[in-house]
Amino acid sequence: MRLTLLKSKLHLATVTRSDLHYHGSLTIDPNLMDAVGLVPYEAILVSNVATGLRAQTYVLPGRRGSRSIELNGAMARLGSVGDRVIVMAFTELETEELDGHQPRVVALDQQNQIVERIDYPPIAQACEPGFFSVLEPH
């Protein structure tokens, strides 16, 4: 059985640019991508904190060190410059891969500087005793 779990998260990123007429995607500073393990063209879910709107797109690397978070194309309808968004990527794992899985998460300030690395516990520590036995085929 494969489960879809959180892989990467940029929490409270601030939109720095929005361009309706650019090809769709979300441009992200490669330093921020590296911090949570995002790769170019990876599928992501973006959620606007103020409106609750969510959309799926993919990552485009921006200029390193720019702290950019840019809504491109149809994504520009998701929000405006200054809005705070949550950027999430997911991974599919087999049940035997779950034990050591740990998402990479950072929280950002309004200038998109990392202010906190959030260490979610590995899934085995986050689960109740016996949790993995319910996932095993009977």
Side-chain angles (χ1 to χ4, degrees), residues 1-136:
M1 173 182 5
R2 296 184 69 74
L3 297 173
T4 303
L5 300 170
L6 180 66
K7 171 189 161 269
S8 308
K9 180 176 163 186
L10 294 170
H11 188 68
L12 295 179
T14 301
V15 175
T16 58
R17 186 169 185 266
S18 182
D19 185 352
L20 183 61
H21 303 291
Y22 186 80
H23 302 287
S25 62
L26 185 78
T27 300
I28 302 176
D29 177 338
N31 289 343
L32 297 175
M33 292 170 58
D34 293 348
V36 296
L38 291 171
V39 298
Y41 319 123
E42 184 170 5
I44 53 172
L45 179 65
V46 183
S47 179
N48 185 312
V49 174
T51 65
L53 292 174
R54 289 177 167 220
Q56 186 174 10
T57 190
Y58 61 94
V59 176
L60 273 182
R63 188 172 44 86
R64 190 169 291 279
S66 66
R67 298 193 308 263
S68 58
I69 299 289
E70 302 174 9
L71 301 171
N72 301 315
M75 288 299 295
R77 301 277 189 208
L78 186 75
S80 303
V81 172
D83 283 0
R84 305 297 292 271
V85 296
I86 299 170
V87 179
M88 297 163 278
F90 298 88
T91 188
E92 289 190 9
L93 299 174
E94 295 290 341
T95 53
E96 57 271 9
E97 298 174 292
L98 295 178
D99 188 16
H101 177 69
Q102 185 174 12
R104 292 174 61 182
V105 180
V106 297
L108 306 173
D109 67 12
Q110 290 185 323
Q111 290 74 45
N112 290 330
Q113 294 187 54
I114 297 170
V115 293
E116 182 181 7
R117 292 189 189 280
I118 302 170
D119 290 323
Y120 287 18
I123 195 166
Q125 291 176 15
C127 296
E128 297 287 326
F131 173 79
F132 291 105
S133 64
V134 301
L135 297 176
E136 295 170 4

